[in-house]
Amino acid sequence: MKKSGTGLFRNQLFIPLAALLLLMIFNLIADPSFFKISLGYNSAGNPVLSGYLITILDYGSELAILAIGMTLVTAASGGQDISVGAAIAIAGSVILRVLCGTNPRPDKMQAPIIVAFLVACLVAALFGAFNGILVAVFRIQPMVATLILYTAGRSIAAWINNNQLPIVKDPSFKYFGGLIPGIPIPVPFFIAALCVLIIFLVLRFTTLGLYVQAVGINERAARLNGLNPVFIKILSFVILGLCVAVAALIKTSRLSTINYSVIAKDIEMDAILAVALGGNALSGGKFNMWASILGAYVIQALTTTLFKFNVQSDALPAYKAVVVIILVVLSAPTVRNKIYEVTKKFRTRKQEGEAV
Amino acid sequence: MKNNSTGITGKIKSMSDTNLLLLITVVVFVLMYIGAVLFLGKGFLKPQTFCNILNENAALIIMSCGMSLVMITGGIDISVGGMAALISMSCAVLIDRKGGSLAASMMLALGIGLAYGLIQGFLVAYLEIQPFIVSLAGMFFARGMTTIVNTAPFNVQSKAFAALKNTRVYLPFGSVNKRGVFVHSYVEIGVLVALAVVILMFIFLRWTRLGRNFYAVGGNKQSALMLGINVKRTKFLSHLICSLLAGIGGYVYFLHVGSGSASHAAGAEMNAIASSIIGGTMLTGGVGNIIGTFFGVLSLSTIKNIVASAGFDQAWWSGITVAVMLCLFLVIQSIVLSRKSR
């Protein structure tokens, strides 16, 4: 039987929860107004909740959605997709292209939003499949394979719209990244909740989770057991593609337009960070979806905290990079073993002391 | 040997992966350059056109050499572009705002390279963290740090620096210009540094014991360990040398552009990786050649020039071209790899 004394440490949710707690304590000491939530009215006269916590819930949504797909990709292929930011630019560009048609400033939308969204889903899934094929069929390391789309993605996004910046004027497009009149909670939060619910049901009632983990832990063994590792890897990239499309809808809806070089910039870093913070092994295998999703919100809490202390958005990556390094160092097997040995020694000494 | 030496196909089959991929690279480069001359006019025949490719890519050549070394050892380093930006900005601030000398700025560039190499090498080799994650963090750190050092981009005004930047080395050959005057072609100092790096790295990887160790570790870690090679130290050294070269490359880049900006060298890591891969360095490790990398850089910039002069001069075509080239060569590598297993 395993020792239950380290149960809390062993639980994957421990790392993100501890990180969240640290952040919250820091904010509580530095400035308690961080926790203030106020109900106000926006310019259109609709009720709206505002406050840093609401901001975290609002802007963490895209990240949480991406973390779902990224977790699956990480688990199945043992690598990460670094093209998600560029893919969001492509999917967002497709959405605007379908909505606006050839005229970048139409007065009316040229197609229903759902059509635009479905087309974006298709395109994003295709790009996901492209990444998946490079990884699964051609056996290129995931990060290098996705580096191709990372370089070309924003260029392709600009090319789809002829480098113009279409603007959607219809107010109903703003709902997905803003507020529906009458409900004070931002819509992205509900979209994220819906995605989480869907993935929960999928993991609960299908064998996807099991198969993904089996492929990630030992590909050969999985194949000998009748699984198709190539298909499962591609599938995980396609699912990430769908997550990208949803995130792109939220991102473009927030602005009603798109900036190819800025939209979802550095989000791949955050998504990978969310998976790592969730205590999932970045080398693949077992995963815990809840820990990743919680990790995504912790990352957003960190971002919001840094913004609150007037850190420039361009300087943010430097701080996050330090967090990543600390996290990966702590979760490195060699360091873990060292810590485990030290705590074990400490515990046996304590037990000896009690015996005496 | 007798069976294999019949005809060209036999020769190709008996070649090692390194030489085969080098051959593909050189052939692709020559074909591409001939194509450029045929379809896009005689401009590509002028020696200065070729020298300009060298002038513009001296920094990239140096970075790519380091990148190839890391990739041969089985790792990867995507922080080199960020480092170039950080070095440009730090050196620009040091020279212009703090009144530092040129020597001090060079020391600073090497110092940043050394610090990066020590930290990244330690994390990758001794803590066994994935090199991609480490250098991804390194890249974001460098980019963020550049903004922290100074936000606004600015040109260096120092006269001593301008003198060094504008130093040109005239070559014994050249071309006749429109007025009928013979003009010598020139290269910048950075090119000399780059060529020296290429030659030194080639000799180092080809004929020294330590150099061969990198191939052994990248080819098969387990057997390298059995042969008594210190795998961890070799990996550490590969990252250290790569970051030092990135430091030198960053300074050469700074010398070429003469300004500091957070958006400098955007995508340089991508270009360096693409050049190495086009040059026949395999991502799986153990296969690669510095001369190939040199040709990889030339191929990449030639195709960029072709794309630009063919009328697709919008910025986005460059990104797409690089990605397509990279994709193509990755697939070629994948096929070469499967050839071996059959």
Side-chain angles (χ1 to χ4, degrees), chain B residues 2 6 9 25 38 57 62 68 80 97 100 119 141 194 208 210 218 273 290 311-312 331 341:
Chain B
K2 258 183 189 174
T6 50
T9 44
T25 311
L38 287 180
N57 292 294
I62 299 173
S68 295
V80 293
R97 306 263 162 95
I119 294 172
F141 183 77
T208 65
L210 183 60
I273 293 171
I290 294 296
F312 301 101
V331 172
S341 59

mmCIF file of all heavy atoms in Angstrom, chain B residues 2 6 9 25 38 57 62 68 80 97 100 119 141 194 208 210 218 273 290 311-312 331 341:
data_model
loop_
_atom_site.group_PDB
_atom_site.id
_atom_site.type_symbol
_atom_site.label_atom_id
_atom_site.label_comp_id
_atom_site.label_asym_id
_atom_site.label_seq_id
_atom_site.Cartn_x
_atom_site.Cartn_y
_atom_site.Cartn_z
ATOM 1 N N LYS B 2 31.551 -3.938 -54.348
ATOM 2 C CA LYS B 2 31.406 -4.155 -55.777
ATOM 3 C C LYS B 2 29.951 -4.011 -56.203
ATOM 4 O O LYS B 2 29.631 -3.421 -57.225
ATOM 5 C CB LYS B 2 31.919 -5.554 -56.157
ATOM 6 C CG LYS B 2 33.286 -5.525 -56.790
ATOM 7 C CD LYS B 2 33.695 -6.919 -57.211
ATOM 8 C CE LYS B 2 35.150 -6.918 -57.637
ATOM 9 N NZ LYS B 2 35.637 -8.267 -57.916
ATOM 10 N N THR B 6 28.043 0.132 -58.669
ATOM 11 C CA THR B 6 27.569 0.183 -60.040
ATOM 12 C C THR B 6 26.575 1.315 -60.208
ATOM 13 O O THR B 6 25.480 1.287 -59.686
ATOM 14 C CB THR B 6 26.883 -1.134 -60.442
ATOM 15 O OG1 THR B 6 25.946 -1.442 -59.423
ATOM 16 C CG2 THR B 6 27.873 -2.250 -60.582
ATOM 17 N N THR B 9 23.041 5.353 -58.673
ATOM 18 C CA THR B 9 22.104 4.946 -57.616
ATOM 19 C C THR B 9 22.803 4.100 -56.576
ATOM 20 O O THR B 9 22.549 4.222 -55.387
ATOM 21 C CB THR B 9 20.927 4.159 -58.214
ATOM 22 O OG1 THR B 9 21.440 3.237 -59.146
ATOM 23 C CG2 THR B 9 19.920 5.073 -58.882
ATOM 24 N N THR B 25 21.341 19.051 -50.396
ATOM 25 C CA THR B 25 21.347 20.477 -50.126
ATOM 26 C C THR B 25 22.104 21.258 -51.182
ATOM 27 O O THR B 25 21.606 22.263 -51.699
ATOM 28 C CB THR B 25 22.024 20.742 -48.770
ATOM 29 O OG1 THR B 25 21.455 19.875 -47.818
ATOM 30 C CG2 THR B 25 21.836 22.169 -48.355
ATOM 31 N N LEU B 38 18.419 32.309 -64.552
ATOM 32 C CA LEU B 38 17.718 32.129 -65.815
ATOM 33 C C LEU B 38 16.422 32.925 -65.868
ATOM 34 O O LEU B 38 16.124 33.569 -66.868
ATOM 35 C CB LEU B 38 17.408 30.642 -66.031
ATOM 36 C CG LEU B 38 18.597 29.757 -66.401
ATOM 37 C CD1 LEU B 38 18.136 28.325 -66.592
ATOM 38 C CD2 LEU B 38 19.277 30.272 -67.664
ATOM 39 N N ASN B 57 23.242 37.690 -44.060
ATOM 40 C CA ASN B 57 22.999 36.464 -43.302
ATOM 41 C C ASN B 57 24.177 36.023 -42.445
ATOM 42 O O ASN B 57 24.170 34.903 -41.951
ATOM 43 C CB ASN B 57 22.601 35.341 -44.252
ATOM 44 C CG ASN B 57 21.254 35.608 -44.856
ATOM 45 O OD1 ASN B 57 20.250 35.619 -44.156
ATOM 46 N ND2 ASN B 57 21.232 35.875 -46.143
ATOM 47 N N ILE B 62 26.177 32.146 -38.268
ATOM 48 C CA ILE B 62 26.798 31.815 -36.984
ATOM 49 C C ILE B 62 25.797 31.108 -36.076
ATOM 50 O O ILE B 62 26.091 30.078 -35.469
ATOM 51 C CB ILE B 62 27.326 33.097 -36.310
ATOM 52 C CG1 ILE B 62 28.376 33.744 -37.213
ATOM 53 C CG2 ILE B 62 27.919 32.780 -34.952
ATOM 54 C CD1 ILE B 62 28.841 35.090 -36.725
ATOM 55 N N SER B 68 22.962 23.765 -35.421
ATOM 56 C CA SER B 68 23.268 22.445 -35.971
ATOM 57 C C SER B 68 23.948 21.574 -34.929
ATOM 58 O O SER B 68 23.615 20.402 -34.776
ATOM 59 C CB SER B 68 24.194 22.575 -37.185
ATOM 60 O OG SER B 68 23.538 23.243 -38.213
ATOM 61 N N VAL B 80 17.683 31.492 -29.732
ATOM 62 C CA VAL B 80 18.753 32.283 -30.349
ATOM 63 C C VAL B 80 18.246 33.622 -30.900
ATOM 64 O O VAL B 80 18.940 34.633 -30.815
ATOM 65 C CB VAL B 80 19.490 31.480 -31.442
ATOM 66 C CG1 VAL B 80 20.258 30.332 -30.851
ATOM 67 C CG2 VAL B 80 18.533 30.983 -32.493
ATOM 68 N N ARG B 97 23.893 54.997 -24.254
ATOM 69 C CA ARG B 97 23.359 55.649 -23.059
ATOM 70 C C ARG B 97 24.347 55.630 -21.910
ATOM 71 O O ARG B 97 24.399 56.527 -21.098
ATOM 72 C CB ARG B 97 22.062 54.959 -22.620
ATOM 73 C CG ARG B 97 21.024 54.861 -23.714
ATOM 74 C CD ARG B 97 20.015 55.988 -23.599
ATOM 75 N NE ARG B 97 19.290 56.168 -24.844
ATOM 76 C CZ ARG B 97 18.105 55.611 -25.112
ATOM 77 N NH1 ARG B 97 17.518 54.861 -24.213
ATOM 78 N NH2 ARG B 97 17.518 55.823 -26.269
ATOM 79 N N GLY B 100 29.589 53.071 -22.828
ATOM 80 C CA GLY B 100 30.493 51.929 -22.801
ATOM 81 C C GLY B 100 31.317 51.855 -24.071
ATOM 82 O O GLY B 100 30.949 52.404 -25.109
ATOM 83 N N ILE B 119 23.024 28.166 -18.049
ATOM 84 C CA ILE B 119 21.726 27.848 -17.443
ATOM 85 C C ILE B 119 20.974 26.811 -18.285
ATOM 86 O O ILE B 119 20.535 25.777 -17.777
ATOM 87 C CB ILE B 119 20.885 29.124 -17.274
ATOM 88 C CG1 ILE B 119 21.555 30.053 -16.259
ATOM 89 C CG2 ILE B 119 19.475 28.782 -16.821
ATOM 90 C CD1 ILE B 119 20.930 31.408 -16.152
ATOM 91 N N PHE B 141 11.889 34.765 -22.217
ATOM 92 C CA PHE B 141 12.601 35.590 -21.238
ATOM 93 C C PHE B 141 13.393 36.681 -21.956
ATOM 94 O O PHE B 141 13.364 37.851 -21.567
ATOM 95 C CB PHE B 141 13.528 34.714 -20.394
ATOM 96 C CG PHE B 141 14.247 35.471 -19.331
ATOM 97 C CD1 PHE B 141 13.592 35.839 -18.168
ATOM 98 C CD2 PHE B 141 15.566 35.847 -19.494
ATOM 99 C CE1 PHE B 141 14.237 36.553 -17.202
ATOM 100 C CE2 PHE B 141 16.223 36.566 -18.521
ATOM 101 C CZ PHE B 141 15.558 36.921 -17.378
ATOM 102 N N ALA B 194 31.773 35.000 -39.567
ATOM 103 C CA ALA B 194 30.915 33.853 -39.876
ATOM 104 C C ALA B 194 31.707 32.763 -40.580
ATOM 105 O O ALA B 194 31.599 31.578 -40.223
ATOM 106 C CB ALA B 194 29.740 34.294 -40.745
ATOM 107 N N THR B 208 37.960 16.286 -34.332
ATOM 108 C CA THR B 208 38.356 16.214 -32.927
ATOM 109 C C THR B 208 37.521 15.151 -32.220
ATOM 110 O O THR B 208 36.413 14.826 -32.650
ATOM 111 C CB THR B 208 38.154 17.549 -32.198
ATOM 112 O OG1 THR B 208 36.761 17.829 -32.162
ATOM 113 C CG2 THR B 208 38.880 18.686 -32.871
ATOM 114 N N LEU B 210 36.172 15.310 -29.229
ATOM 115 C CA LEU B 210 34.970 15.892 -28.637
ATOM 116 C C LEU B 210 33.894 16.096 -29.702
ATOM 117 O O LEU B 210 32.720 15.817 -29.498
ATOM 118 C CB LEU B 210 35.314 17.228 -27.970
ATOM 119 C CG LEU B 210 34.176 17.925 -27.240
ATOM 120 C CD1 LEU B 210 33.638 17.063 -26.124
ATOM 121 C CD2 LEU B 210 34.632 19.260 -26.700
ATOM 122 N N GLY B 218 24.191 12.092 -30.095
ATOM 123 C CA GLY B 218 22.950 12.337 -30.822
ATOM 124 C C GLY B 218 22.442 11.092 -31.529
ATOM 125 O O GLY B 218 21.244 10.871 -31.635
ATOM 126 N N ILE B 273 16.814 27.076 -37.498
ATOM 127 C CA ILE B 273 16.410 25.665 -37.514
ATOM 128 C C ILE B 273 16.172 25.213 -38.950
ATOM 129 O O ILE B 273 16.639 24.154 -39.371
ATOM 130 C CB ILE B 273 15.137 25.462 -36.665
ATOM 131 C CG1 ILE B 273 15.440 25.714 -35.192
ATOM 132 C CG2 ILE B 273 14.593 24.060 -36.836
ATOM 133 C CD1 ILE B 273 14.213 25.735 -34.326
ATOM 134 N N ILE B 290 28.312 20.936 -40.939
ATOM 135 C CA ILE B 290 28.322 22.396 -40.849
ATOM 136 C C ILE B 290 28.346 23.031 -42.235
ATOM 137 O O ILE B 290 27.708 24.055 -42.474
ATOM 138 C CB ILE B 290 29.537 22.866 -40.019
ATOM 139 C CG1 ILE B 290 29.398 22.418 -38.577
ATOM 140 C CG2 ILE B 290 29.678 24.373 -40.076
ATOM 141 C CD1 ILE B 290 28.233 23.010 -37.843
ATOM 142 N N GLY B 311 8.051 39.368 -57.362
ATOM 143 C CA GLY B 311 6.880 40.222 -57.201
ATOM 144 C C GLY B 311 6.060 39.947 -55.963
ATOM 145 O O GLY B 311 5.169 40.698 -55.618
ATOM 146 N N PHE B 312 6.356 38.847 -55.258
ATOM 147 C CA PHE B 312 5.623 38.572 -54.027
ATOM 148 C C PHE B 312 6.356 39.231 -52.864
ATOM 149 O O PHE B 312 6.873 38.566 -51.992
ATOM 150 C CB PHE B 312 5.534 37.066 -53.774
ATOM 151 C CG PHE B 312 4.857 36.318 -54.872
ATOM 152 C CD1 PHE B 312 5.575 35.614 -55.804
ATOM 153 C CD2 PHE B 312 3.477 36.333 -54.966
ATOM 154 C CE1 PHE B 312 4.944 34.933 -56.823
ATOM 155 C CE2 PHE B 312 2.843 35.652 -55.978
ATOM 156 C CZ PHE B 312 3.575 34.943 -56.915
ATOM 157 N N VAL B 331 10.092 16.281 -44.732
ATOM 158 C CA VAL B 331 9.545 15.074 -45.343
ATOM 159 C C VAL B 331 10.657 14.284 -46.031
ATOM 160 O O VAL B 331 10.717 13.056 -45.926
ATOM 161 C CB VAL B 331 8.411 15.448 -46.317
ATOM 162 C CG1 VAL B 331 7.966 14.234 -47.110
ATOM 163 C CG2 VAL B 331 7.241 16.020 -45.555
ATOM 164 N N SER B 341 15.724 2.040 -42.598
ATOM 165 C CA SER B 341 15.144 0.945 -41.827
ATOM 166 C C SER B 341 14.656 -0.180 -42.733
ATOM 167 O O SER B 341 14.355 -1.261 -42.270
ATOM 168 C CB SER B 341 14.001 1.471 -40.959
ATOM 169 O OG SER B 341 13.022 2.059 -41.766
#
